[in-house]
Amino acid sequence: MIRHCVLLRIAEGTDPEVVERIVEALRTLPARIPSIRTYEVGVDLGWRDGNAEIGIVAGFDDQEGWRAYVDHPDHVAVIEQHIAPVVTSRQAVQFQV
């Protein structure tokens, strides 16, 4: 199993409703991308200054499944339509579990 973890920093002053729409859009992906085995998305609880605003943890069988997700038109559309306009930084890691 491969884990894919992403942390998104969102531009200061972004309306919280925009952040919720990003999360909602991301949560639609498991039903549309067959290679996703597990998928968790959430907004930071605000317990510590400096944290990212959105976290994503996804599971895939292998690199091919991860690649199918990354390149999937629905995933690309969420990035282009919802994330790219407000993201200020993105960190990601993939590792085997």
Side-chain angles (χ1 to χ4, degrees), residues 2-44:
I2 302 298
R3 283 283 186 270
H4 170 64
C5 302
V6 178
L7 298 174
L8 301 174
R9 299 290 315 256
I10 305 300
E12 192 172 323
T14 298
D15 189 318
E17 289 182 14
V18 171
V19 174
E20 276 304 316
R21 280 195 295 274
I22 292 169
V23 170
E24 289 171 12
L26 288 165
R27 286 181 177 159
T28 69
L29 296 178
R32 299 187 291 171
I33 303 175
S35 67
I36 297 173
R37 297 294 174 246
T38 62
Y39 203 77
E40 299 172 312
V41 180
V43 176
D44 182 65

Side-chain angles (χ1 to χ4, degrees), residues 35-81:
S35 67
I36 297 173
R37 297 294 174 246
T38 62
Y39 203 77
E40 299 172 312
V41 180
V43 176
D44 182 65
L45 297 174
W47 294 347
R48 188 168 189 155
D49 289 341
N51 282 0
E53 285 76 26
I54 298 172
I56 304 153
V57 179
F60 304 92
D61 289 337
D62 50 31
Q63 184 179 10
E64 291 76 24
W66 169 78
R67 177 59 62 195
Y69 163 76
V70 169
D71 295 336
H72 194 282
D74 290 334
H75 178 246
V76 173
V78 168
I79 293 169
E80 291 175 351
Q81 295 169 13

